[in-house]
Amino acid sequence: MRSARHSHDDPAGEVVRWAAFSCLLVPVVLVVYGASFGGAAVATLGLAAVTAACRVLLRHSEKAERAAARIRTEEASRSAHRGRHSRSGAGSHRGCHAPGPMSPHD
């Protein structure tokens, strides 16, 4: 038996399951409302093709997102190890409090 938490673990899988359900439901509704079996079959094939393409794109997007998150984590861990004295930018010039010519008191 599946837990309720499972659908949150795989949102793309949840979308694909609903799309597959629709691929089965739509032709039944078309036939009930008077469409031909051939027309319902073509609609089923079209929906199945769109569902397959969406599944591929969703999986690719998830893979790219995981790779980007891994890179961000690695960069964050590298930047955390630079230490206090490796900073640059504003405030890195010690002894000079104002951006301008130095006064005789500095």
Side-chain angles (χ1 to χ4, degrees):
M1 184 170 180
R2 293 183 183 176
S3 66
R5 196 177 66 128
H6 178 72
S7 65
H8 297 293
D9 294 342
D10 187 19
E14 188 70 18
V15 170
V16 171
R17 281 189 288 278
W18 276 107
F21 173 73
S22 297
C23 287
L24 298 175
L25 183 65
V26 167
V28 171
V29 171
L30 287 173
V31 170
V32 167
Y33 282 95
S36 67
F37 287 107
V42 169
T44 302
L45 291 174
L47 287 171
V50 169
T51 300
C54 288
R55 181 181 183 275
V56 168
L57 291 172
L58 283 168
R59 296 296 179 195
H60 178 73
S61 174
E62 285 179 337
K63 186 187 291 187
E65 183 180 354
R66 283 191 303 269
R70 187 179 66 242
I71 290 170
R72 282 191 303 267
T73 303
E74 290 172 359
E75 287 176 353
S77 67
R78 271 189 255 138
S79 66
H81 295 293
R82 285 193 317 200
R84 179 177 172 200
H85 298 291
S86 64
R87 288 189 232 159
S88 64
S92 64
H93 304 287
R94 297 176 187 227
C96 184
H97 301 286
M102 292 180 56
S103 67
H105 299 289
D106 284 337

